[in-house]
Amino acid sequence: MEMQRNVSEFILLGFSYDQNMQIFCFVLFLFCYVALLAGNLLILVSIRCSPLFHQPMYYFLSHLSTMDICYTSSITPKLIADLLVERKTISYGTCMLQVFTMHFFGMIEVLILTVMAFDRYAAICKPLHYLLIMNRTRCSLLLLVAWAGGAVHSFPQFFMVIRLPFCGPNEIDHYFCDIFPLLKVACSDTYITGVLVIAFSGIVALVTFIVLFVSYGIILFTLRNLSAEGRRKALSTCGSHITVVILFFGPVIFIYLRPPTTFPEDKIFALFYTIIAPMFNPLIYTLRNSEMKNAMRKIWCQTSELNIFLAKQRGS
């Protein structure tokens, strides 16, 4: 632990030293983050203020939106702020906290996506028993398991990283603190730690990805027994889920399921699971979902009518 005290902060190298490129990235990522917050908050409010909240799929979707906000907010605000300064530093404590929150909220999101796949399996393959299988008590228990899984996943990796000795250099070739870039600057043999990270993150992501695609394969196979309208609706919902899974899991598997090393391309791939996938989640789940669009239209139209009525009351 004494060796760790030799490094009180890390320097993040970010994307580019070019000033024009940094300004472009600042505008782009600020827009993405605002769109992410607005989209996910819109989903949250629309679900919470409508009967959809009592349906399991939308109950899970509201929690997925919450995780998107928490997960991305652990990384993106710091990234945006760093694009305005020349020397991008992060304190040792904040760096360790970023490692923990990223893996904690990220794993919860992975497990919620898995739960949503199970929900679709129950709805399509077991329609007569769906409400019995996915009752509110079981839904809440599944979410509790997701939070517990996030803790089981993140705490061991956090303790592995916090025990690493950092005695210089302190430059991290990334835009946030992640485990592999930190292993590169640690002044000790990190082979075992790297293998454990692959097991905790890479293999877990791969297994989850396979489980999700097998479950969606079973669902799609079952669709042949449904009516044309039932197939269309089920394909629309499952298509949304599959798109989210590919956007999120593809880059994660590429980065974590390989020997513990880093490449310049990692920063680009990391953008997909830290910013791009969470930003597109609201669009993917609303534009292809008539129930969500109807709920949002109803709630926001009622809000507009109420505002007009209150304005008239104040005017009179």
Side-chain angles (χ1 to χ4, degrees):
M1 295 296 291
E2 284 302 315
M3 293 181 73
Q4 292 176 353
R5 303 298 177 188
N6 293 341
V7 172
S8 60
E9 66 178 17
F10 296 99
I11 298 172
L12 299 171
L13 299 184
F15 288 99
S16 172
Y17 291 107
D18 182 76
Q19 188 65 31
N20 293 329
M21 180 58 72
Q22 291 199 53
I23 293 172
F24 171 77
C25 289
F26 170 79
V27 174
L28 176 63
F29 296 149
L30 180 62
F31 170 79
C32 290
Y33 186 58
V34 171
L36 182 149
L37 291 177
N40 282 294
L41 287 173
L42 181 63
I43 285 181
L44 272 173
V45 174
S46 298
I47 292 176
R48 296 273 178 173
C49 298
S50 73
L52 291 179
F53 184 67
H54 301 290
Q55 296 184 33
M57 185 180 80
Y58 297 101
Y59 179 63
F60 294 133
L61 179 56
S62 67
H63 285 84
L64 180 66
S65 292
T66 304
M67 286 304 104
D68 277 339
I69 293 171
C70 295
Y71 174 66
T72 307
S73 295
S74 67
I75 297 167
T76 310
K78 171 66 177 167
L79 165 62
I80 294 171
D82 281 346
L83 290 168
L84 297 176
V85 297
E86 185 176 347
R87 192 169 184 266
K88 304 164 181 45
T89 61
I90 183 170
S91 68
Y92 175 84
T94 305
C95 182
M96 296 299 111
L97 179 64
Q98 200 172 64
V99 169
F100 173 76
T101 54
M102 177 200 160
H103 284 272
F104 179 64
F105 291 123
M107 190 62 195
I108 294 174
E109 184 160 343
V110 165
L111 293 174
I112 289 178
L113 287 171
T114 307
V115 169
M116 291 175 75
F118 175 71
D119 171 74
R120 289 301 84 202
Y121 167 79
I124 295 170
C125 301
K126 308 283 184 181
L128 298 179
H129 301 93
Y130 175 64
L131 293 179
L132 182 63
I133 295 171
M134 300 303 294
N135 58 63
R136 182 46 62 95
T137 302
R138 184 161 294 163
C139 290
S140 299
L141 182 61
L142 287 170
L143 285 174
L144 183 62
V145 170
W147 279 80
V152 170
H153 168 78
S154 57
F155 272 109
Q157 296 189 93
F158 171 72
F159 286 124
M160 283 191 295
V161 174
I162 207 170
R163 289 172 60 86
L164 291 173
F166 299 102
C167 46
N170 64 340
E171 290 186 344
I172 299 176
D173 188 16
H174 218 301
Y175 62 89
F176 67 94
C177 284
D178 200 5
I179 299 179
F180 282 166
L182 284 169
L183 293 182
K184 195 172 180 180
V185 299
C187 49
S188 67
D189 184 8
T190 59
Y191 176 78
I192 299 298
T193 305
V195 171
L196 291 174
V197 171
I198 293 172
F200 273 105
S201 295
I203 293 178
V204 167
L206 180 63
V207 170
T208 308
F209 182 75
I210 292 171
V211 168
L212 287 171
F213 259 80
V214 168
S215 65
Y216 282 120
I218 295 171
I219 291 170
L220 294 174
F221 182 75
T222 308
L223 291 181
R224 74 191 195 285
N225 299 322
L226 300 181
S227 64
E229 177 62 22
R231 281 199 300 270
R232 186 198 63 78
K233 187 176 179 181
L235 280 171
S236 177
T237 303
C238 291
S240 302
H241 293 195
I242 292 170
T243 305
V244 171
V245 166
I246 293 173
L247 277 174
F248 187 85
F249 280 91
V252 169
I253 291 171
F254 171 79
I255 287 178
Y256 289 104
L257 196 65
R258 69 179 193 214
T261 184
T262 58
F263 299 107
E265 296 80 11
D266 289 354
K267 289 179 275 190
I268 304 299
F269 279 95
L271 286 174
F272 280 90
Y273 61 82
T274 57
I275 300 175
I276 295 174
M279 180 186 69
F280 277 109
N281 278 359
L283 292 174
I284 291 168
Y285 281 111
T286 54
L287 293 181
R288 301 186 62 184
N289 190 311
S290 58
E291 288 182 322
M292 271 299 304
K293 285 189 285 190
N294 291 334
M296 290 165 64
R297 192 179 298 116
K298 189 183 218 177
I299 289 168
W300 297 108
C301 285
Q302 288 176 350
T303 304
S304 299
E305 290 172 1
L306 179 61
N307 289 334
I308 293 171
F309 174 76
L310 292 174
K312 287 180 178 177
Q313 289 293 102
R314 284 195 296 266
S316 61

